[in-house]
Amino acid sequence: TPTSLYPWIKAHDHSKQKEIADWLTMEIKDFVSYISPSKEEIMARNSVVKTLKQQIKVCWPDAEAHVFGSFATDLYLPGSDIDMVVVSKNGDCENRHKLYQLSSFLRSKKLAKDIEVIAGAKVPIIKFVDPKTNIHLDISFERTNGLDAARRIRKWLETTAGLRELVLVVKQFLRSRKLNNVHVGGLGGYATIILCYHFIKMHPRVSTENMTASENLGTLLIEFFELYGRNFSFDNLVIAFDGKTDSPKYLKKYKYPSLIASRNPFALVVQDPDDPGNNITRSSYNLRDIKKSFGGAFQLLVDRCYYLHSASYKKRIGQSILGDIIKYKGKER
Amino acid sequence: SNKARKKQYCRTCDLFNHDDDNCPNIWRSYLLNKQPQQHSLKDVQLPVIYCYNCGDSTHFGDECKEARTSRVPNLSGSAFSGSNLPQQLR
């Protein structure tokens, strides 16, 4: 199969749209359906998870394995890893001895290759690769906060049309700029979802039910980059939700010194909706580049809109708006 | 230069920040929900208002009176402005 730089626009030409924002909205939907996993991929992932859940039960009868992260919320991109957590009645699975016990069990059952046991970390994990599908997996132990987050995200997705599309585009954008890895200061999946949801819920026309987010994804994507790339005061504000009503709000940093770990005022602080004392983005130290990339995406998108708006129909045919911010080299499908 | 700046004028916005071909209204267009003609303020969902600059809930960021902390200038306005509310709430 041939590959192209913007594989999602093949056979989906919107160059005749009158409003450039509608063109972008349609292109976002095409992109999302392009990167969404096929039936075969979904079935392969489900079967990997099912087998592991059963076999971990065989190894440790009083423990239960669960999935969390992007697999549990259906917000994964092609090639994303699967996150699992093992929770036991005794709560003792995290000790070094038991980690090695599980890793050799998985190896003996031929359920894992390239196994790494990271026992000394703050969050001990076993990393490995599924031999059949080559999907990467991370197993952590006795921590239920990932499960709480997944539950909350699933609720947001059910009640917020357009959230899934916005998140997937922003996630893919961050991945293409290598800014999605928290180990090098990037923005994690949960933080990305919170920024998108918070933005949608605060939008003057969405919060007043004057418009529906899923019908305005084009303008909303540009305005997402406009808010976090140009206007939001990372120095002054904390991104938060009301504990009772779950509605979005900003807190003033100086009133919540316990949330602030960094001495640098230019730091992203996102209050954990399930744990008000926790800052979800404490590892996202590379805010400088994150903000710069959002600002750059805003500029690229609006310049592209201005160019295509005044271009002739002939020049518009087969063009991409999103292609400037997301270089996704992939199979045409 | 000063001369180039004088040429920049947008007839839609009546602003000198950008010209007609670089007007945010080209992309900042919304597909609105169908709404009944007559509207009493009672049926209207009130906006969530927080300022992106100072965090106050009395105004949006574009109307903030405090010093701007972001170093990127905001010349032509953003989504978070009182003027971006539905007509009956402005």
Side-chain angles (χ1 to χ4, degrees):
Chain A
T1 347
T3 63
S4 85
L5 217 42
Y6 318 124
W8 61 92
I9 67 165
K10 284 281 140 66
H12 299 278
D13 186 70
H14 307 298
S15 63
K16 293 201 172 71
Q17 281 302 314
K18 218 173 131 253
E19 290 292 338
I20 206 96
D22 293 337
W23 178 350
L24 183 52
T25 296
M26 291 172 183
E27 200 182 326
I28 289 169
K29 290 181 178 171
D30 293 339
F31 177 75
V32 167
S33 60
Y34 174 78
I35 54 156
S36 292
S38 66
K39 255 197 194 102
E40 292 74 32
E41 290 170 70
I42 295 170
M43 275 160 51
R45 285 179 163 251
N46 286 348
S47 115
V48 169
V49 166
K50 194 178 162 199
T51 308
L52 278 169
K53 279 186 172 178
Q54 285 167 349
Q55 290 301 313
I56 288 169
K57 195 95 199 154
V58 171
C59 182
W60 294 337
D62 73 331
E64 200 85 57
H66 306 271
V67 281
F68 67 101
S70 63
F71 181 89
T73 54
D74 237 356
L75 289 169
Y76 56 88
L77 301 169
S80 290
D81 30 357
I82 296 177
D83 299 297
M84 296 183 84
V85 59
V86 176
V87 184
S88 69
K89 290 198 184 93
N90 297 328
D92 64 349
C93 286
E94 205 170 55
N95 81 50
R96 185 176 290 265
H97 167 70
K98 296 206 66 169
L99 256 58
Y100 285 107
Q101 190 184 20
L102 181 62
S103 73
S104 50
F105 173 84
L106 293 175
R107 188 181 290 116
S108 71
K109 292 267 180 178
K110 299 205 163 42
L111 291 169
K113 62 175 188 184
D114 305 340
I115 307 177
E116 276 179 86
V117 180
I118 305 168
K122 212 171 75 184
V123 181
I125 55 169
I126 302 178
K127 290 176 87 71
F128 61 96
V129 176
D130 176 67
K132 280 191 207 130
T133 61
N134 281 320
I135 295 169
H136 290 242
L137 290 106
D138 280 1
I139 301 185
S140 57
F141 302 86
E142 311 295 4
R143 287 159 199 268
T144 52
N145 53 347
L147 300 175
D148 297 335
R151 206 172 299 125
R152 184 178 288 276
I153 295 163
R154 283 197 298 265
K155 194 181 80 195
W156 286 348
L157 288 166
E158 275 168 31
T159 56
T160 318
L163 177 61
R164 178 163 188 273
E165 292 86 344
L166 186 64
V167 167
L168 287 170
V169 173
V170 174
K171 272 185 117 173
Q172 177 56 37
F173 167 77
L174 288 165
R175 183 198 255 191
S176 73
R177 305 290 152 114
K178 297 191 169 62
L179 289 168
N180 63 335
N181 188 349
V182 285
H183 301 294
V184 288
L187 204 58
Y190 192 23
T192 305
I193 294 162
I194 289 184
L195 291 190
C196 289
Y197 178 71
H198 201 277
F199 158 76
I200 289 179
K201 289 304 231 189
M202 276 220 175
H203 193 285
R205 289 185 186 271
V206 178
S207 73
T208 54
E209 296 177 1
N210 184 239
M211 71 175 200
T212 307
S214 52
E215 294 175 346
N216 291 277
L217 288 167
T219 304
L220 286 173
L221 178 67
I222 299 178
E223 289 175 339
F224 173 89
F225 291 132
E226 178 184 66
L227 176 64
Y228 296 117
R230 296 171 67 93
N231 295 323
F232 182 71
S233 174
F234 292 99
D235 297 274
N236 290 342
L237 305 178
V238 174
I239 290 167
F241 295 93
D242 190 278
K244 286 195 190 102
T245 63
D246 201 36
S247 59
K249 60 179 180 180
Y250 294 141
L251 305 173
K252 299 177 201 241
K253 274 189 183 178
Y254 73 89
K255 289 189 182 166
Y256 297 84
S258 59
L259 270 171
I260 318 301
S262 153
R263 260 171 289 146
N264 181 1
F266 185 69
L268 174 59
V269 180
V270 175
Q271 186 182 41
D272 187 340
D274 287 298
D275 179 4
N278 181 37
N279 169 16
I280 285 181
T281 46
R282 63 186 174 281
S283 336
S284 303
Y285 55 81
N286 191 8
L287 178 61
R288 185 94 27 213
D289 286 346
I290 295 168
K291 181 181 173 182
K292 214 186 280 169
S293 78
F294 285 167
F298 171 84
Q299 205 57 55
L300 284 167
L301 283 172
V302 303
D303 286 347
R304 190 78 181 142
C305 288
Y306 297 148
Y307 166 74
L308 291 170
H309 178 74
S310 52
S312 66
Y313 278 117
K314 210 175 151 191
K315 278 193 176 153
R316 285 161 57 123
I317 292 171
Q319 294 294 305
S320 164
I321 308 177
L322 216 44
D324 274 354
I325 65 152
I326 296 162
K327 302 258 191 297
Y328 186 92
K329 207 161 186 154
K331 276 200 285 274
E332 285 169 15
R333 56 185 189 188
Chain B
S1 75
N2 211 13
K3 211 172 183 181
R5 210 174 295 152
K6 268 185 188 154
K7 274 188 193 159
Q8 258 186 25
Y9 172 69
C10 173
R11 284 170 291 184
T12 316
C13 303
D14 191 26
L15 282 175
F16 289 90
N17 302 320
H18 56 261
D19 59 31
D20 292 339
D21 292 336
N22 295 282
C23 172
N25 288 301
I26 289 170
W27 58 266
R28 206 192 302 282
S29 70
Y30 304 105
L31 193 59
L32 301 183
N33 293 334
K34 295 210 168 49
Q35 271 148 355
Q37 284 296 304
Q38 278 296 336
H39 238 124
S40 73
L41 266 177
K42 261 191 289 177
D43 322 322
V44 179
Q45 193 71 37
L46 289 178
V48 176
I49 300 179
Y50 280 96
C51 171
Y52 60 64
N53 188 52
C54 74
D56 264 13
S57 52
T58 58
H59 59 267
F60 286 111
D62 281 10
E63 282 85 47
C64 189
K65 300 238 172 359
E66 286 190 24
R68 187 174 162 85
T69 63
S70 174
R71 289 185 190 178
V72 188
N74 177 17
L75 300 171
S76 300
S78 82
F80 293 91
S81 158
S83 66
N84 199 22
L85 284 168
Q87 204 72 50
Q88 66 274 21
L89 284 168
R90 270 176 220 169

